[in-house]
Amino acid sequence: MENIERLKRYGEEMDQFLNIQFEKGVRYDSPVEAYEDFKNYYDKRLKVAGQAGKRIVTDRDSFT
């Protein structure tokens, strides 16, 4: 199952990302700025997984 990129639901992924950024000391001037940073990260993650030939699986998808 190494050819799978497991993702949580979008909101959970965003919360986790922002928590990590906060721990690193990153501060955003607005919610829009924080969302754009997350969106860029998430889109890049999906692109890299796709280029690696991984199947994207989210919490709501079946693992069977």
Side-chain angles (χ1 to χ4, degrees):
M1 286 208 166
E2 65 188 62
N3 209 24
I4 292 176
E5 179 76 13
R6 294 184 190 276
L7 297 174
K8 297 177 182 118
R9 293 186 181 192
Y10 196 78
E12 292 171 322
E13 288 284 341
M14 186 165 59
D15 287 343
Q16 180 179 348
F17 172 80
L18 293 175
N19 286 338
I20 290 169
Q21 295 298 85
F22 183 78
E23 289 173 7
K24 290 180 180 178
V26 176
R27 300 296 183 265
Y28 298 101
D29 292 331
S30 71
V32 172
E33 183 182 13
Y35 173 75
E36 287 298 321
D37 195 24
F38 168 71
K39 184 179 176 301
N40 290 332
Y41 158 81
Y42 192 82
D43 290 347
K44 184 176 181 180
R45 187 171 170 190
L46 291 177
K47 182 179 179 180
V48 168
Q51 289 173 339
K54 292 186 176 185
R55 183 170 66 102
I56 308 298
V57 177
T58 63
D59 282 348
R60 64 187 153 185
D61 294 333
S62 172
F63 294 107
T64 59

